[in-house]
Amino acid sequence: MEDLEELLANNREWSEEVRSQNPSFFEELSEQQSPRYLWIGCSDSRVPANQIVGLAPGELFVHRNVANIASPTDLNCLAVLQFAVDVLQVRHVIVCGHYGCGGVQAVLDDMRLGLVDHWVRHVHDVARVHRAQLAGLDDRQARFNRLCELNVIEQVRNVAQSTVVVDAWSRGADLAVHGWIYGLENGLLRDLGIRVGSAAEVDAAYEAAIDTEVRARGS
Ligand code: CO
């Protein structure tokens, strides 16, 4: 219980701090939100979306789940995507994975964790598609890192091929989908070199992202 009281006290302090900088901050924000970005990231507590990109409340629309999956059958993710693209009219969708992801590790090590095993079947699919590339890597750590990256690239493709994004592009919307990965050990984001701004670019951007990463490793 003490823990929770501390959180509420922190909240009062934070609210006061924000208002001391800008007395009408919350008032203005309560009227409307107009974020430019949708973030699809992992639930991992070490990857707090707003904080690592330095964005304030109101600036980032966020969807997080275990292993940053954007499955074409996940109504939750699709609803967030649809609302962000059609209603809020965000300009960028950022799929952000992270190295050391527990959901990816569970797949790599074939761990049994419970219900979440079903969820990370999506990552199993990624590993299966890219099994030759993964098998070609020297050690477990390299395979782990690479599967974290490949998972992001695959989810970018899922977002780019969703009806929501395809329809937005066909209406001429200015919308791009990006793939980034975060390093727990240094707090830095890395662009995985996949940026898709139209339906016609999806395949080439996907192939290039995979090839670029392979070349970067000299393999
Ligand atoms: Co994770």
Side-chain angles (χ1 to χ4, degrees):
M1 203 51 208
E2 275 171 20
D3 287 351
L4 295 187
E5 274 158 24
E6 190 186 331
L7 297 188
L8 294 170
N10 288 348
N11 168 254
R12 286 189 293 272
E13 220 170 88
W14 171 77
S15 170
E16 271 167 38
E17 170 68 23
V18 172
R19 276 182 295 189
S20 74
Q21 308 281 328
N22 178 358
S24 60
F25 181 84
F26 293 110
E27 221 175 355
E28 286 165 20
L29 209 55
S30 68
E31 304 291 327
Q32 62 158 355
Q33 62 167 338
S34 54
R36 288 171 59 87
Y37 317 96
L38 166 62
W39 177 277
I40 299 176
C42 183
S43 296
D44 194 303
S45 63
R46 297 165 294 181
V47 195
N50 281 65
Q51 219 167 337
I52 64 179
V53 287
L55 290 178
E59 296 182 326
L60 189 66
F61 203 65
V62 173
H63 178 78
R64 289 169 66 181
N65 61 39
V66 171
N68 43 270
I69 302 294
S71 160
T73 58
D74 177 15
L75 190 59
N76 183 356
C77 184
L78 289 171
V80 171
L81 183 62
Q82 191 262 323
F83 188 77
V85 170
D86 292 348
V87 181
L88 298 173
Q89 301 186 319
V90 298
R91 295 295 184 85
H92 302 276
V93 179
I94 299 158
V95 177
C96 186
H98 67 102
Y99 295 114
C101 182
V104 174
Q105 184 187 357
V107 169
L108 204 67
D109 296 344
D110 235 341
M111 292 157 73
R112 285 297 309 274
L113 298 171
L115 185 65
V116 73
D117 300 343
H118 292 271
W119 181 250
V120 298
R121 288 306 309 175
H122 295 296
V123 184
H124 273 280
D125 293 342
V126 175
R128 196 178 60 245
V129 168
H130 298 288
R131 64 181 176 277
Q133 189 187 128
L134 291 166
L137 296 170
D138 309 337
D139 57 26
R140 186 193 167 280
Q141 190 59 47
R143 282 191 294 277
F144 187 10
N145 290 346
R146 188 59 183 149
L147 186 53
C148 290
E149 295 169 357
L150 290 168
N151 182 45
V152 171
I153 295 167
E154 289 294 332
Q155 305 315 319
V156 167
R157 192 162 82 159
N158 283 344
V159 171
Q161 292 182 329
S162 66
T163 54
V164 173
V165 170
V166 170
D167 289 353
W169 280 330
S170 70
R171 291 193 303 269
D174 182 8
L175 176 69
V177 188
H178 311 260
W180 291 357
I181 194 155
Y182 178 79
L184 295 175
E185 71 295 339
N186 60 12
L188 292 174
L189 286 164
R190 197 157 75 82
D191 190 333
L192 285 172
I194 183 163
R195 180 202 176 279
V196 192
S198 73
E201 289 171 24
V202 178
D203 287 343
Y206 171 83
E207 299 294 342
I210 285 172
D211 290 349
T212 301
E213 291 303 311
V214 170
R215 274 204 304 279
R217 281 178 176 72
S219 51

